[in-house]
Amino acid sequence: MRRIQHFLKNDWYILVILILSIFPVFLYLGNLPFSSWDESLFAMRAYQILEHGEVLFNFQEFESYKDHSNRKPFLTTLIQVGFWKLFGVSELNLRLPVAFAFLILLLVPAFFRKRLNLDRYTIFSYALLLMTSGSMIRNHVVRTGDQDVFVCLYMFLAAIFFYLYLNDSNEKRVKFRNLFFFFTFCTLFTKTIFAFMFFPGLLIYTIYKKRLFDVLRDKWVYVSGAFILVLFVLYNLYMNHHNPYFISGFIDHALGRYGFVVDGQEYKGFAYYWSALYQKGFSWFFNLLILSPFLIFSRSDYKFRDLQLFLWMLGLSFVFIISFSKTKTFWYLVPVFPIVALIIGLNMSYLITRLIDFIGFKPNAVLSLMLFGIIFSLPYKSVMSKVVEHKYLPYYDFELEGAMVNKIGKELPEEKDYTILIRNVNPQTSMYVTWFNELKGYDLKIDIDPVESYRPGQKVLSCNYGLSEKIRRNYRYQALSDWRSCHLMVIQSEFGDLP
C-alpha cells in the first residue's frame, strides 16, 4: 500500500503518460490491412517461422510473389512470432509488439531518471513530444508492424548505456558495457548497419571526455565487438548458403541505397533529413533546440551540459551520415527522434523551472497537468485526427485488396474461391492469399496483369479501375460486393455468348 501511495505521489506522471498514449498508439490499431511492402514483408517472415518452422530465405515462397531474397535479420521478428503464437495470426497481433516497444521507448528516461538526474518535467516533455510527433504515430512506425520502433528503442538504450559506461562508477561499468553491446547486437540483427550509425558520435564524445584510452585498454570491448561481428558474418554465410544471391543482394540493395536511388524513388538532396526533422518531426517545438548552445556554453552551473553534448554529438553524426544516402525515406530518420525529443525536453524543463522560480511557488500535480495540457493540446489533437482519419481506409489506394479480402471474409464468409486481379506484384496480396488459403481454408488465386479469359461462374476481385473496366467491357457479370474501387464479381459470360 505504501508503494502505491509513493508511486501516486511521486511518479504519477508515468501513469499519465501511459493513459495518454493509449489513444494515439492503440486506437483502431487492428483495423487496417497489412501495409504493402515492408509491413507485409515482415508479416511473411513471421508467418514462415510460425507455420513452417523455418527462416524465410526468399519471398517467392509466397503465392505469386517475385524472386526477392529476405535481406533483413529476423531477431525482432521472433517477438512478433511469439505474439502470433499466443494470440493468433492477425494484423493487430503483428502490431502489438511494436506498440508496446513504443511505450517502453516513452518511458526510457523515466527508467534512468536517477542515474541521469532527470526531473519529471523533462520526462513528461520527452514522452509527449514523441507521442505527438506525426512521424512517429503513423504507418511504417508506431501504427504498423514494421520494426523501426524496435530499432529506435535498441539504439537509444545502447546510447544511454554507453553514456553510463563512460560516466558511472567503476563497479557498474562492466554491466553498462555489456548492455551497450547487447543492444548493439539487437540493432545489428534487426536493421544491420543502423547499429553503427551512432558510433561516430560515441567516438567524439569519448575523446571529449578523455576516456578513449580507457576504452581501448578494455579487452572486453574487443571480445564483445568481435563476437557480435563473427555472429553476423556466420548469419550472412548461412543465408547465402540457402540463397546464393543473398549477400550480393544485400550489398546491391541495402548498401547500394547510399550510392544509388532505388525502389523507384526520387533523389531528394543532402538537406532532406535536416528539413524533415522540422517538417516531419517536432515542428511545434523544434525552435527550442536553439536554447541548447546557450545552456551548454553560457551557463556554467547547467547540470546537463555533458548529457546535452552527448545527445547533440549522436544526433548530428547520425543525420550527417544518412544525409549522404541517395535513397531517402523519412523512417530512416526515426532513430534520432528520441535524441531530439530528449534535448527539447531538457530545454523545455529548463524554461518551466525558470518560470516556476520567477512565479515563486511550485505547482502541484493538477496545475502541472494543466500546463502540459495547454502546451501539447494542439499537437495531440493533430495526431489524433490522423489516427481517426485512417480508422478504416488504408494509407494508399494500392493497399485496398487486403482490406477488401477482410471485408468479404466478414460479410460474405461463404465466398472463399475467387481470383484477385492486380497490375503488379504486391506483397500484401501474396501475404493475404497465402494466409487465407493455408489457415482459413480458402482457395484464392492471384492474376498479375491479367490477359486470360474467365469462364462463366468464376469470381474475380479487382480494386484497380483499369482492370475493373476491362471486366465490364468484355463480360457480363453479377456484382457480389462493392467497396470504394473494389468489386467482387461473378462472371456470367463473355459478350456475344448469349443471344
Side-chain angles (χ1 to χ4, degrees), residues 55 57 74 233-243 246:
V55 176
F57 300 110
F74 57 89
V233 169
L234 291 176
Y235 161 77
N236 282 274
L237 292 175
Y238 171 77
M239 294 295 289
N240 199 71
H241 173 73
H242 290 277
N243 183 348
F246 175 81

Side-chain angles (χ1 to χ4, degrees), residues 129-130 133-136 271-287 289 312 314-320 322-323 330 332-341 343-344:
L129 283 163
L130 287 183
S133 170
S135 287
M136 293 294 286
Y272 170 76
Y273 287 121
W274 302 94
S275 61
L277 265 175
Y278 169 75
Q279 295 172 357
K280 298 177 180 289
F282 306 100
S283 56
W284 295 88
F285 307 103
F286 190 78
N287 289 336
L289 288 173
W312 274 96
L314 292 188
L316 290 174
S317 67
F318 180 89
V319 180
F320 189 75
I322 63 172
S323 293
F330 82 89
Y332 289 176
L333 194 60
V334 167
V336 84
F337 282 7
I339 303 295
V340 178
I343 294 173
I344 297 176

Side-chain angles (χ1 to χ4, degrees), residues 245-265:
Y245 302 102
F246 175 81
I247 293 178
S248 60
F250 173 78
I251 294 173
D252 292 341
H253 187 78
L255 299 180
R257 289 168 178 258
Y258 281 83
F260 305 96
V261 180
V262 301
D263 296 338
Q265 299 185 35

Side-chain angles (χ1 to χ4, degrees), residues 175-234:
K175 181 177 75 172
F176 295 143
R177 180 201 62 210
N178 293 342
L179 287 169
F180 163 73
F181 279 108
F182 172 76
F183 286 107
T184 299
F185 166 84
C186 291
T187 309
L188 184 63
F189 279 83
T190 300
K191 202 162 183 177
T192 61
I193 59 174
F194 268 68
F196 310 114
M197 293 295 193
F198 282 159
F199 275 37
L202 299 179
L203 175 61
I204 294 170
Y205 181 76
T206 303
I207 295 172
Y208 161 76
K209 292 293 291 183
K210 300 178 181 178
R211 299 296 300 273
L212 179 60
F213 290 110
D214 289 340
V215 173
L216 294 177
R217 282 194 293 263
D218 187 346
K219 67 177 181 180
W220 291 105
V221 168
Y222 302 100
V223 173
S224 302
F227 178 72
I228 292 173
L229 291 176
V230 167
L231 285 180
F232 188 65
V233 169
L234 291 176

Side-chain angles (χ1 to χ4, degrees), residues 289-300 302 350 354:
L289 288 173
I290 64 176
L291 185 60
S292 290
F294 167 76
L295 295 176
I296 294 171
F297 300 110
S298 301
R299 301 291 299 181
S300 59
Y302 183 56
Y350 177 82
R354 293 300 298 267

Side-chain angles (χ1 to χ4, degrees), residues 447-482:
D447 197 358
I448 303 172
D449 196 16
V451 294
E452 68 176 61
S453 59
Y454 299 105
R455 62 185 184 278
Q458 187 170 355
K459 298 166 187 174
V460 295
L461 167 64
S462 171
C463 294
N464 179 277
Y465 176 80
L467 297 178
S468 298
E469 282 299 301
K470 184 177 180 180
I471 296 295
R472 294 189 183 99
R473 289 196 306 267
N474 293 285
Y475 297 94
R476 291 182 173 88
Y477 65 90
Q478 176 188 354
L480 298 178
S481 180
D482 297 299

